[in-house]
Amino acid sequence: MSTGSGSGSGEGPDDAQNPFKGTPFEQFFSGGMPGLGGAGGAMPDLQALFGQIQAMMQPYDGALNWEVAEDIARKSVAQSPDPTPSQREKDAVADAVRLADHWLDEATGFPSAVTTTAAWSRADWIVQTLEVWKVLVEPVAEQSVKGVSAALPPEAQAAAGPILGMLGKAIGAMLANQVGAALGGLAGEVLTASDIGLPLSAPGRAALVPANVTAFAEGLDVSEDDVVLYLALREAAHQRLFASVPWLRDHLLGAVKDYAGGLEINAEGLQSRIEEQMRGIDPSNPESLQQLIEGGLFDLPKSPAQQAALERLEIALALVEGWVDEVVGQATESRMPAATRLQEAVRRRRAAGGPAEETFAALVGLELRPRRLRDASTLWGSLRTRQGTEARDGVWTHPDLLPTSADLDDPLGFREDAAAPESLTEDDFDAELRKLLDGE
């Protein structure tokens, strides 16, 4: 007779009752696990098991319990002081953004897009950006939960349909805990609303997180006023870019959705991973069940479609951050002696990422670090030097005009054979755009 893992050569009557036999979940639903069922591979008391799992969650819609995620995130930031920004800090942010917009007017033709300013606590950042995180994370969570059931053969799915639904909810609840912890960690590191290169805040709202800005300023040998102004410049530049390039938001978020759509669950690989994760875990203990996620259950090899989507996202983030880097550098060149030092500090911080970004990347497989920021900044600066500000910003007219990975390999050579026209009328620009799109 086979034992808990179903690896024996025989098959007893109890094995035939197990719809998960020979599937990635055989070990999870086998009697050989501590605290479950009887000995000799008997089917466990599934009603009792899922009664325990249900106790760890409340009903929710979608693939992930966002109420739990938000609650976990807010509890995470509450573990350390998170003061509400003072009126002085709010005024300082407003003044810095106002000056930043004035400087940026000379560095780009994209008009100011800031309508309101804000100084956020870390908890404010969570609340104000949560809706965009839902758009980013929900597709990945949904595909992960679906992928688990899809890894089962059809006969097992038919026999265990209700059970799989409950298992999906349990996985969604555990994922919510991990997403909440990751967002709480990010809230302790982000400096502005657009710090990770994605449009997380409401359009037109430029926001800084003073508590994190103060921590970032320590050890830089630069006045905090200069740090606030420099970050306000970056925030205002992000706002201009996303407002002036209406397709950019969907381009970035679309790459995330494509990544989720390419998620593939390999049944054999999942079987091995679950067996490894489940050794020594007591399913009657909800905390030990959570180890399934913490141990990397969804840290699966990426499919070719996912790799392509991630590359597109990484390049797009690098181009966004590189453009902001170049524009802010131009705006501060003759005005802020400390700008070069701050530029280097921001570049290193964005390229390396912090512990929270690493946690988020491990959770959903999305790395939000523009590793090629320097190459992108060089590309935009070179294009401006050769052809002018209008030509540089004009590349954002259409996604097909954006530099590619190959262009970032040779940033000084991007469009080196294109000469800037002496005067660029609207008709001239439309004609040149058509040529580029048609491959002429």
Side-chain angles (χ1 to χ4, degrees), residues 47-77:
Q47 183 176 1
L49 171 61
F50 283 101
Q52 294 160 355
I53 293 178
Q54 277 191 307
M56 63 184 289
M57 73 183 85
Q58 296 294 323
Y60 63 93
D61 295 326
L64 194 152
N65 191 331
W66 283 101
E67 289 185 6
V68 169
E70 180 179 358
D71 183 58
I72 294 295
R74 297 187 65 152
K75 286 179 179 177
S76 175
V77 299

Side-chain angles (χ1 to χ4, degrees), residues 68-307:
V68 169
E70 180 179 358
D71 183 58
I72 294 295
R74 297 187 65 152
K75 286 179 179 177
S76 175
V77 299
Q79 293 177 4
S80 57
D82 184 32
T84 300
S86 64
Q87 188 59 49
R88 179 181 174 278
E89 289 173 322
K90 294 177 182 178
D91 291 342
V93 170
D95 291 344
V97 172
R98 190 177 303 112
L99 179 58
D101 256 340
H102 175 66
W103 288 8
L104 289 171
D105 283 339
E106 299 178 19
T108 176
F110 292 156
S112 172
V114 175
T115 56
T116 59
T117 62
W120 285 344
S121 67
R122 295 168 181 134
D124 289 334
W125 179 86
I126 292 170
V127 173
Q128 297 294 334
T129 65
L130 192 64
E131 290 305 312
V132 177
W133 285 113
K134 290 179 182 180
V135 175
L136 288 169
V137 177
E138 187 76 18
V140 181
E142 183 178 350
Q143 287 298 108
S144 296
V145 172
K146 286 182 178 178
V148 169
S149 60
L152 293 171
E155 59 275 12
Q157 294 184 39
I163 296 174
L164 287 174
M166 296 175 69
L167 181 61
K169 289 295 184 183
I171 291 172
M174 289 187 284
L175 278 171
N177 278 267
Q178 296 306 298
V179 170
L183 292 182
L186 281 173
E189 297 179 2
V190 291
L191 304 175
T192 68
S194 58
D195 196 23
I196 65 169
L198 295 172
L200 296 179
S201 67
R205 178 176 296 169
L208 273 67
V209 184
N212 294 344
V213 172
T214 298
F216 173 69
E218 294 177 358
L220 291 180
D221 196 23
V222 175
S223 73
E224 189 165 336
D225 287 343
D226 275 352
V227 175
V228 170
L229 177 56
Y230 188 82
L231 294 174
L233 281 158
R234 289 184 56 82
E235 177 72 354
H238 276 103
Q239 293 287 344
R240 289 186 183 222
L241 181 61
F242 283 110
S244 299
V245 185
W247 53 263
L248 182 55
R249 175 187 173 90
D250 288 341
H251 182 76
L252 290 168
L253 299 185
V256 177
K257 293 179 180 178
D258 288 346
Y259 167 84
L263 185 65
E264 295 177 359
I265 303 293
N266 179 278
E268 183 178 351
L270 188 58
Q271 164 82 39
S272 174
R273 186 178 296 270
I274 287 180
E275 290 180 354
E276 179 181 350
Q277 302 281 336
M278 293 295 292
R279 291 191 183 100
I281 293 178
D282 180 2
S284 66
N285 180 357
E287 291 184 2
S288 70
L289 281 176
Q290 188 165 323
Q291 294 180 33
L292 282 173
I293 304 301
E294 293 175 344
L297 177 60
F298 292 100
D299 183 19
L300 302 171
K302 295 177 178 63
S303 69
Q306 284 181 294
Q307 292 285 12

